[in-house]
Amino acid sequence: MALTLFALIIRLFRISNPHEVVFDEVHFGGFATKYINGQFFMDVHPPLGKLLFAAVGLLGGYNSTFTFKDIGDDYLASHVPYVTMRLLPGFLGVLLVPVSYITLRNLGVSNISAILSALMLTLDNGFVTQSRLILLDSGLIFFTGLTVMMWTDFLSNQEQPFTFTWWYPLVMTGVSLGLAGSVKWVGLFLVATIGLSTLQNLWTVLGDLRVTPRQYVHHFAARALCLIIIPGFIYCFLFQIHFWALPNKGGGSGFMRPEFQSTLRGHEIEDTFEDVAYMSKIHLRHHATNGGYLHSHKHDYPTGSKQQQMTVYPFKDENGEFLIAPPLLVKNDTGYVVPVTKLQYLKNGDIVRLIHVKTGRKLHSHNVKAPVTVNDHHWEVSGYGDDSWNGDTNDNWIVRIADKSVSHDDPRPIKAINTRVRFIHVNNRHCGLFSHDKKLPEWGFDQQEVTCAENSGRPGAVWLIEANTNPFLPPNAKKVNFKKPGFFAKFIELHGTMWSINQGLTGKHPYESRPIEWPVLNRGILFWTEKSNGPRQIYLIGNPIVWWTSTITVLSLSVLLVAGVLLMKRSVPILSNLALYKTWNASLILFSGWFLHYFPFFLMKRQLFIHHYFPALYFAILSTGVIFELLTHKLSRASRMVLAGAFLAIVFLVYLDFSPLAYGNLMHRHHCERLKWGKHWDWTCLTSPEDEHDIKPQVAGKVNHIDDHVMKPIWDKAKLPRVDNSSLAGAGFQGPPIPTWTGA
């Protein structure tokens, strides 16, 4: 209880500061808004954390009108209950501290060693920062810690199988395992951690001569039920809640296939005519990546032909509308087009031009290398010509049904949505309209690259025709009709799209880092700076003493494990010592937890940031208590308390020194510069006051939160005098403006 109270003070101190949108609150606050409004969105993370933010937002009276559009947007002006929403990760961060303590006690670690790790966790500035904002990481790490706590509780009750004290922690391990994986996919790494420990546990049970074969089957079935079926059910059920909560069309609808979109209210799929004909206005959806629609805009390639860009864009808008026009014909070296005056259905094998409706440019390819994929098999696709010029034959494309059972000369009609098609370039019959997961650089707005790729039979050259309208079709023409998908079909499709988007996050970011840098705390992330380059900032950086110590201790665990295995092979009774046995057993769980939450990131090529290390860091911090236990178990209790106290005093002083970066408090420039222990710690000190004496006049900058939306003011707003903030400018006032009531 003392640890929890101390953590409550550390984690929730001035949690209302700043009263502006910080870092990824842009995303997760925005997703909570979409849940409340029921607007379908797309995110790479499972739904639990965002559902919880939406729930606490509703409980706090949030009216779901704030957009969370930009970092620095003011919460107070829009009466957003942001403090209530921040309290959710705040309390989860607080509860993680007693969870860590209980976990180590379950592993047989002494009280002093468990307190040591728990206080290191409490005083880590990185964990403090993460647990004070509307972010998913606090929930992920809490459920990770809860899973390990319940599992170690289960392991400590092995002598009482199939009793309540045995079943309860086993069931709760499965429940919390499902919850961890439902916040972020990183939580699924925990499945491997618990799985390895389960195999070791089952091996131990198998070696127990008191356990009959029938009883062993029951042991296996109990673990399968609790650790596979229960987490799987929870994970699936939360996605069902996700679908129930988002019944309406929204910004993420364009990522999903037409069948999925048909399950959303307000969709446009049922208004699509089935028959496609010349002069139809269509949207072309890329089938293989599910990345969006063929798209163009009034921006040119900076290289190659320097003609208008053609891309794939996730959302259906007017820049994705194309007209199916008849081909350009050539006679006597003169190009001409046969006008369309009546309904002419589009058939397999027809030659067409695709004209971008908004700019009049034709879909075009030629003997110019693609902008990103510059090998011999990819050619640039661009927008060429305009309304005043017919263009050339490089604008002509053959439409083919993407079905091997349909021959090239089969004049089968092309249908919207239900017919998958390819567009083969007329002047290069081996080249087809193609897209893949590669993104264009910043000049292409990070949109998906489109090329004309040889070997046009590959999946990336398949497209769907959507949103088909035609002036020659009668109003009662047949509309597209298809069966709406059920839960599992939607579940599978959504996961495929989430995975595809996740893998596509490969662009550069100024604060990204690689896994090799994380254990040594090479760099952090700038979360927020005060508007107009003010002196306050929030920078995600851990407590260096905590990080470096935990890295040393978790690597020590690996040495301990290897040494234990080698000595056992030589029949050396090292594990007959109780302290050594407890340490070795705890090392198996903690080191596997650290390794399995850290090593997989080395295999990823997507954007990575230091906050991805926090689940692994949790296990590393717990390992410090285990190593301290091993090194000091023969010392007196007083000596151990002195050693632990001295170390924690250093940790606390470093926490205080770095705390302005976690809480967004003011600090003078000398202090700010002194904190830059690492050469890559790149927060700014240019706007900080010159020395501590300059801070005192800025106390007025600490906003008096007259309405932080935890409760309504009890005074009459009409009687509150208007404050003229401009009068403070000449008095050295550098903080955010004092909130004023409009219409007073």
Side-chain angles (χ1 to χ4, degrees):
M1 290 184 66
L3 285 170
T4 306
L5 181 61
F6 184 59
L8 196 72
I9 297 170
I10 298 295
R11 293 288 193 266
L12 303 187
F13 172 69
R14 295 191 69 208
I15 198 170
S16 60
N17 181 59
H19 59 83
E20 297 174 358
V21 177
V22 177
F23 190 54
D24 276 352
E25 289 186 338
V26 165
H27 300 299
F28 303 118
F31 293 146
T33 301
K34 290 180 173 65
Y35 269 127
I36 296 172
N37 293 328
Q39 298 171 329
F40 186 83
F41 63 88
M42 176 54 60
D43 183 40
V44 297
H45 301 300
L48 177 58
K50 295 164 289 189
L51 284 168
L52 291 175
F53 284 130
V56 297
L58 280 173
L59 290 174
Y62 178 40
N63 61 11
S64 72
T65 58
F66 189 72
T67 60
F68 291 87
K69 184 179 179 181
D70 297 306
I71 294 175
D73 285 353
D74 189 9
Y75 286 129
L76 294 179
S78 299
H79 303 283
V80 180
Y82 73 103
V83 173
T84 304
M85 298 175 76
R86 285 180 181 173
L87 283 174
L88 171 63
F91 280 120
L92 294 178
V94 169
L95 293 175
L96 184 65
V97 173
V99 163
S100 67
Y101 170 81
I102 295 170
T103 300
L104 287 175
R105 295 293 281 156
N106 286 340
L107 290 171
V109 174
S110 70
N111 196 40
I112 295 174
S113 300
I115 290 174
L116 174 70
S117 283
L119 287 176
M120 286 177 65
L121 183 68
T122 306
L123 296 172
D124 179 69
N125 301 71
F127 276 103
V128 171
T129 305
Q130 288 283 41
S131 61
R132 296 168 49 81
L133 302 169
I134 306 172
L135 305 175
L136 300 182
D137 299 271
S138 187
L140 166 67
I141 300 168
F142 170 74
F143 289 122
T144 296
L146 184 64
T147 301
V148 178
M149 185 193 82
M150 299 311 301
W151 177 246
T152 55
D153 193 16
F154 169 73
L155 293 179
S156 64
N157 284 281
Q158 293 301 289
E159 296 302 319
Q160 303 172 5
F162 304 107
T163 62
F164 176 79
T165 56
W166 185 90
W167 274 110
Y168 172 73
L170 182 60
V171 171
M172 289 304 299
T173 299
V175 170
S176 51
L177 186 62
L179 295 176
S182 299
V183 176
K184 273 189 172 184
W185 276 352
V186 175
L188 298 178
F189 294 158
L190 195 59
V191 174
T193 304
I194 300 299
L196 285 175
S197 185
T198 302
L199 292 176
Q200 184 209 11
N201 176 246
L202 285 172
W203 181 257
T204 303
V205 174
L206 183 63
D208 190 342
L209 299 179
R210 296 171 297 175
V211 178
T212 66
R214 183 183 181 89
Q215 290 174 329
Y216 187 79
V217 171
H218 290 164
H219 275 278
F220 185 89
R223 288 159 177 78
L225 169 67
C226 295
L227 302 180
I228 298 175
I229 296 176
I230 288 178
F233 172 79
I234 289 174
Y235 184 81
C236 291
F237 182 67
L238 286 168
F239 270 94
Q240 180 62 74
I241 295 176
H242 174 76
F243 294 143
W244 286 336
L246 301 174
N248 304 316
K249 172 188 172 184
S253 304
F255 288 96
M256 312 311 298
R257 301 188 193 279
E259 294 86 347
F260 191 112
Q261 293 184 44
S262 70
T263 64
L264 302 174
R265 289 198 296 260
H267 66 86
E268 301 170 354
I269 301 301
E270 63 186 12
D271 297 324
T272 295
F273 291 107
E274 183 178 49
D275 295 317
V276 181
Y278 286 95
M279 308 311 292
S280 284
K281 289 182 180 179
I282 64 168
H283 284 76
L284 267 181
R285 179 185 186 82
H286 193 238
H287 180 258
T289 63
N290 218 24
Y293 300 88
L294 186 67
H295 175 96
S296 190
H297 41 230
K298 290 184 178 180
H299 295 276
D300 298 334
Y301 293 116
T303 60
S305 68
K306 299 187 178 180
Q307 294 171 6
Q308 187 166 294
Q309 297 173 15
M310 286 285 174
T311 66
V312 165
Y313 181 62
F315 304 105
K316 185 187 294 183
D317 61 14
E318 59 183 1
N319 284 325
E321 192 173 34
F322 287 82
L323 177 72
I324 298 179
L328 178 72
L329 304 177
V330 178
K331 185 176 182 180
N332 298 328
D333 295 327
T334 302
Y336 67 97
V337 177
V338 177
V340 178
T341 58
K342 62 179 180 179
L343 183 62
Q344 297 180 33
Y345 292 111
L346 186 65
K347 302 183 297 298
N348 180 49
D350 283 356
I351 298 176
V352 301
R353 291 177 303 155
L354 293 176
I355 302 176
H356 188 239
V357 173
K358 191 170 183 182
T359 64
R361 303 291 177 91
K362 287 85 175 175
L363 185 74
H364 180 93
S365 189
H366 41 210
N367 189 23
V368 176
K369 296 296 184 184
V372 174
T373 311
V374 290
N375 59 41
D376 293 336
H377 306 291
H378 289 266
W379 307 100
E380 181 190 86
V381 172
S382 62
Y384 183 58
D386 53 42
D387 293 333
S388 63
W389 184 57
N390 284 331
D392 60 35
T393 56
N394 280 329
D395 301 338
N396 290 343
W397 301 81
I398 305 170
V399 184
R400 292 231 172 95
I401 295 176
D403 187 339
K404 292 182 179 179
S405 64
V406 179
S407 64
H408 291 174
D409 57 356
D410 183 349
R412 189 172 301 188
I414 304 296
K415 303 291 185 181
I417 296 176
N418 292 321
T419 304
R420 287 155 176 75
V421 296
R422 304 180 192 274
F423 291 88
I424 312 301
H425 196 249
V426 165
N427 291 343
N428 181 358
R429 295 300 180 96
H430 303 290
C431 165
L433 187 65
F434 177 88
S435 187
H436 47 185
D437 289 328
K438 289 189 177 181
K439 301 294 180 67
L440 296 174
E442 186 176 351
W443 52 257
F445 308 99
D446 294 319
Q447 294 177 16
Q448 203 164 294
E449 183 188 35
V450 173
T451 71
C452 193
E454 296 186 13
N455 185 13
S456 59
R458 66 178 83 183
V462 178
W463 303 80
L464 285 175
I465 295 175
E466 284 190 21
N468 169 42
T469 60
N470 192 298
F472 297 111
L473 283 171
N476 60 349
K478 185 179 180 182
K479 303 290 183 65
V480 174
N481 184 27
F482 45 81
K483 184 179 179 181
K484 293 183 179 181
F487 167 74
F488 284 107
K490 293 168 62 178
F491 179 83
I492 293 170
E493 180 182 341
L494 182 60
H495 278 72
T497 305
M498 291 165 63
W499 176 261
S500 177
I501 295 173
N502 214 321
Q503 294 301 104
L505 298 174
T506 56
K508 294 296 181 181
H509 191 282
Y511 290 100
E512 67 178 307
S513 54
R514 298 309 301 172
I516 193 68
E517 302 175 85
W518 299 343
V520 294
L521 195 59
N522 191 50
R523 69 177 317 202
I525 306 174
L526 181 64
F527 272 15
W528 170 85
T529 54
E530 195 171 23
K531 283 187 176 180
S532 302
N533 295 319
R536 298 179 182 84
Q537 57 191 315
I538 294 178
Y539 189 95
L540 179 67
I541 193 76
N543 186 317
I545 304 302
V546 172
W547 283 58
W548 296 337
T549 301
S550 63
T551 298
I552 293 171
T553 56
V554 77
L555 293 177
S556 301
L557 290 186
S558 65
V559 176
L560 178 65
L561 289 171
V562 172
V565 170
L566 292 176
L567 291 173
M568 281 191 291
K569 284 183 175 292
R570 293 176 176 270
S571 300
V572 177
I574 183 175
L575 301 184
S576 60
N577 182 292
L578 182 60
L580 290 176
Y581 174 77
K582 288 181 178 180
T583 305
W584 194 82
N585 192 45
S587 300
L588 282 173
I589 296 175
L590 297 183
F591 181 77
S592 65
W594 174 80
F595 182 81
L596 292 171
H597 282 79
Y598 176 51
F599 180 75
F601 288 106
F602 282 93
L603 307 178
M604 298 182 186
K605 297 180 180 180
R606 54 154 291 176
Q607 284 180 354
L608 294 172
F609 302 90
I610 196 169
H611 61 76
H612 289 119
Y613 182 63
F614 276 73
L617 176 64
Y618 174 75
F619 289 97
I621 291 175
L622 264 58
S623 72
T624 304
V626 173
I627 294 298
F628 181 82
E629 180 78 5
L630 176 65
L631 296 177
T632 64
H633 71 278
K634 290 186 177 181
L635 299 178
S636 66
R637 179 178 177 82
S639 298
R640 300 174 75 202
M641 290 179 67
V642 169
L643 286 174
F647 176 74
L648 288 172
I650 297 172
V651 171
F652 182 71
L653 291 175
V654 173
Y655 151 78
L656 287 179
D657 215 20
F658 282 82
S659 63
L661 294 173
Y663 297 114
N665 293 340
L666 280 168
M667 57 179 168
H668 58 81
R669 188 172 299 178
H670 173 71
H671 183 187
C672 181
E673 294 288 358
R674 177 169 52 79
L675 294 181
K676 291 189 175 183
W677 298 3
K679 64 179 181 179
H680 297 295
W681 294 3
D682 49 359
W683 58 81
T684 180
C685 299
L686 296 177
T687 56
S688 298
E690 285 294 338
D691 57 55
E692 58 188 358
H693 300 294
D694 291 338
I695 294 182
K696 293 179 181 179
Q698 299 182 57
V699 172
K702 296 181 180 180
V703 177
N704 178 19
H705 292 279
I706 53 177
D707 183 6
D708 64 5
H709 307 282
V710 175
M711 61 181 68
K712 294 182 178 180
I714 59 175
W715 56 80
D716 183 359
K717 291 189 290 187
K719 296 179 181 179
L720 187 70
R722 183 181 298 276
V723 178
D724 183 6
N725 291 336
S726 62
S727 64
L728 301 173
F733 180 80
Q734 297 183 27
I738 295 176
T740 60
W741 294 113
T742 58

